[in-house]
Amino acid sequence: MIARALEAEIVRLHHTEHWPVGTIATQLRVHHATVRRVLAQAGVPVVQKIVRPSMVEPYRAFMVETLSKYPTLRASRLYAMVRERGYPGAPDHFRALVARLRPRPAAEAYLRLRTLPGEQGQVDWAHFGKLSVGRAVRPLMAFVMVLSYSRHLFLRFYLGAAMSEFIHGHVEAFAWFNAVPRVLLYDNLKSAVLERSGDAIHFHPRLLELAAHYRFQPRPVAVARGNEKGRVERAIRFARDAFFAARTFRDLDDLNAQAKAWCEGAAADRPCPEDRSRSVRTLFAEEAGHLLALPENPFPAEERLELSVRKTPYARFDLNDYSIPHTHVQRTLTVLATLDTVRILDGLELIATHVRSFDRGAQIEEPSHVQALVAHKRAARAHRAQDRLHHAAPSAKLLFLRAAERGTHLGVLTRGLLQLLDSHGASALEAAIAAALTEDAAHLGAVRHFIDSHAHARGQPPPIAVALPKDPRLHTLSVRPQALSDYEQLAAEPTDERAPNDNEPYP
């Protein structure tokens, strides 16, 4: 009903201003049917609207017949077919006509599925956004398992949905229930079903190992039949609304601790959807006696991966580098990873254990691995220095053997001989070492004494220290001096007794 004043205004505008029905309805913000009703009550004759026939009417029977044979035929193809038969309309309005004429499948009714106590559980993943860990941004996934009879649920969050997390979720859920349902329903996710063709199902071999260990039957639901696992779908929605919404947490461990407390408390005390007069906790106590008992040992949920290590002593796993002993580089190693630790094996030998990191591009190092590599590099430098001495002065090898027998510090001896090699040259050092060995004086002081005495006997001045450029290649370069007697013979006076004639060439 509208006010009497508004009815009077409608009648006035119609008779006095001669406004049509549409204008009155727009300006007064009332429905055009209301305007026609008021005018009809005021005695204004009702003008029947002339309905023009639709241009698609001659083709309606053809369209209905075609759509009955091909219910999924696209409107664009049907438009081309009608256009060939003379339809003059545009395709935009034609699509709306096809939508009204297209036959719709009959609505399908579903039976409410009921299960026996301990008979069935349902499993699924749920995506809850992303979580930043250092420089990495990882997906926050929730593993959910719900018992179909009591609706008791298990909820645990992971930074991914790989097969290792999938197996770990099962192991944790069975420990949480302290029992195992006889059948577990899965959607057709890759962690459960690798391939499927009708009733021919290729299960993931890791899932079959898990099922054999806990003695349950894995069963995927039919394709496009999400209603068969509606209990876990509703459990996920319940977890989103009642637990995760507006929740704050420090890290993944804190979130899982809160999820565990929620499953033990509010989720277990809620009314069961099947029987709201009883709680989930009460029905689970009734169902517990019908579940399968746990085996003596839990299933190993470690992730196993073989990888090749290159020249650097690090094994790359899950976006991070974990140190290994330098003696195991350039090999194929085995990584056994849990959510807490990363173990690295070379065959059956355990060579490294690290705390797992979910960061990106991090280097997780064991100090002993780095220290061993540094010590190895220093020893290698010492060997290179000794090789240089042996090349420049071959007698240095015997000197080192005799010095080692007497307990001399070989590092000090090496550094001292290198200094003498740089200042006096290879020939002088060789002569001094040979003289020291002749006197059975295998120590650095004797070599210095003989090298100085030989230089004094030749009348040579003390050597002048020369600062070499900071190029490591120059400090490890050994150049053996060559004899200059050949050049002296070329510069000698001619021995012919006959004086040479200036006009005659030398023979």
Side-chain angles (χ1 to χ4, degrees):
M1 299 294 293
I2 61 175
R4 300 290 296 179
L6 184 56
E7 292 182 356
E9 182 66 12
I10 291 174
V11 175
R12 185 188 70 81
L13 291 175
H14 176 75
H15 289 286
T16 305
E17 304 297 340
H18 306 289
W19 283 8
V21 173
T23 303
I24 298 174
T26 302
Q27 297 300 321
L28 299 183
R29 296 183 179 182
V30 295
H31 198 270
H32 58 83
T34 303
V35 176
R36 289 194 179 93
R37 177 181 59 81
V38 171
L39 294 179
Q41 292 175 353
V44 177
V46 177
V47 179
Q48 296 294 333
K49 184 177 180 181
I50 301 175
V51 180
R52 295 181 299 174
S54 174
M55 65 177 64
V56 79
E57 198 63 33
Y59 311 95
R60 184 184 297 272
F62 170 76
M63 293 169 59
V64 171
E65 180 183 359
T66 304
L67 290 175
S68 63
K69 292 182 180 179
Y70 310 101
T72 60
L73 185 67
R74 298 176 66 90
S76 58
R77 177 62 189 133
L78 184 59
Y79 174 76
M81 296 171 65
V82 176
R83 187 78 173 175
E84 292 175 356
R85 288 164 173 79
Y87 176 69
D92 295 337
H93 182 61
F94 185 81
R95 294 179 185 275
L97 296 175
V98 172
R100 291 198 296 266
L101 296 177
R102 188 185 299 278
R104 290 176 174 79
E108 183 178 0
Y110 296 96
L111 292 174
R112 177 169 292 179
L113 303 178
R114 299 183 183 275
T115 58
L116 298 174
E119 182 68 22
Q120 185 192 99
Q122 299 182 8
V123 178
D124 204 357
W125 282 111
H127 187 263
F128 281 76
K130 296 182 179 181
L131 189 65
S132 297
V133 182
R135 290 167 291 184
V137 179
R138 295 180 177 267
L140 183 61
M141 305 297 296
F143 177 89
V144 181
M145 181 184 292
V146 60
L147 300 179
S148 298
Y149 178 78
S150 64
R151 306 300 179 89
H152 198 32
L153 66 90
F154 170 80
L155 173 66
R156 197 186 195 285
F157 291 88
Y158 294 92
L159 297 178
M163 192 64 196
S164 57
E165 283 87 359
F166 191 63
I167 297 298
H168 187 270
H170 283 78
V171 175
E172 292 291 316
F174 296 151
W176 161 256
F177 296 131
N178 196 27
V180 182
R182 287 175 169 78
V183 178
L184 282 181
L185 290 186
Y186 301 94
D187 202 349
N188 291 278
L189 66 164
K190 289 299 182 182
S191 299
V193 179
L194 295 180
E195 294 178 297
R196 180 168 186 168
S197 178
D199 294 333
I201 300 171
H202 181 196
F203 286 101
H204 197 292
R206 188 70 170 159
L207 178 63
L208 293 180
E209 294 177 7
L210 178 74
H213 184 82
Y214 286 101
R215 301 181 297 277
F216 70 88
Q217 178 189 1
R219 184 184 299 170
V221 300
V223 178
R225 285 294 184 270
N227 63 295
E228 295 184 7
K229 62 180 189 66
R231 289 170 173 82
V232 70
E233 298 289 351
R234 286 189 292 271
I236 291 174
R237 185 167 64 248
F238 174 62
R240 290 186 189 278
D241 298 337
F243 171 75
F244 193 76
R247 183 167 296 272
T248 59
F249 51 92
R250 297 186 305 274
D251 50 22
L252 185 65
D253 293 335
D254 181 39
L255 178 61
N256 282 323
Q258 296 184 41
K260 181 179 179 181
W262 178 74
C263 291
E264 292 175 345
D269 293 331
R270 75 187 191 278
C272 179
E274 292 289 341
D275 185 1
R276 302 195 65 84
S277 63
R278 305 169 69 186
S279 67
V280 170
R281 189 187 305 276
T282 303
L283 287 176
F284 176 69
E286 177 184 329
E287 184 181 21
H290 299 273
L291 296 168
L292 299 176
L294 291 175
E296 296 181 358
N297 299 315
F299 185 78
E302 291 180 322
E303 181 177 0
R304 185 183 183 91
L305 176 67
E306 291 187 354
L307 50 85
S308 298
V309 178
R310 298 187 178 181
K311 296 181 179 180
T312 56
Y314 293 93
R316 171 155 293 186
F317 170 72
D318 194 20
L319 307 179
N320 298 298
D321 294 330
Y322 296 87
S323 68
I324 60 172
H326 67 278
T327 54
H328 296 268
V329 297
Q330 295 186 338
R331 299 185 185 180
T332 299
L333 305 179
T334 302
V335 174
L336 297 179
T338 66
L339 298 178
D340 302 319
T341 61
V342 173
R343 297 187 299 155
I344 305 174
L345 290 81
D346 188 354
L348 298 178
E349 179 188 0
L350 179 63
I351 62 175
T353 302
H354 296 279
V355 177
R356 182 167 183 178
S357 172
F358 289 94
D359 202 343
R360 181 187 183 93
Q363 285 189 350
I364 299 89
E365 297 178 339
E366 172 66 32
S368 60
H369 297 163
V370 180
Q371 295 169 3
L373 179 58
V374 171
H376 175 73
K377 291 298 182 181
R378 289 176 178 172
R381 286 196 295 269
H383 288 305
R384 287 197 298 270
Q386 293 179 8
D387 292 341
R388 182 187 174 202
L389 289 173
H390 296 164
H391 177 72
S395 298
K397 185 175 183 179
L398 181 58
L399 178 68
F400 275 102
L401 292 176
R402 294 185 179 179
E405 294 174 354
R406 299 180 180 183
T408 304
H409 195 289
L410 299 183
V412 175
L413 178 61
T414 302
R415 289 192 296 271
L417 293 179
L418 287 175
Q419 292 176 358
L420 295 177
L421 175 63
D422 294 335
S423 59
H424 292 81
S427 58
L429 179 62
E430 170 65 18
I433 293 177
L437 292 175
T438 303
E439 298 294 334
D440 195 20
H443 54 83
L444 182 60
V447 178
R448 285 175 175 169
H449 167 72
F450 284 110
I451 203 169
D452 290 340
S453 62
H454 292 169
H456 180 71
R458 292 191 298 267
Q460 294 179 349
I464 301 175
V466 178
L468 295 175
K470 295 181 179 181
D471 191 340
R473 295 176 296 177
L474 299 178
H475 296 278
T476 58
L477 183 65
S478 297
V479 179
R480 179 176 294 180
Q482 302 295 328
L484 301 179
S485 58
D486 296 336
Y487 298 98
E488 293 174 355
Q489 292 178 4
L490 294 176
E493 293 291 337
T495 57
D496 194 353
E497 295 180 356
R498 185 172 55 90
N501 189 355
D502 294 338
N503 298 325
E504 295 180 358
Y506 286 101

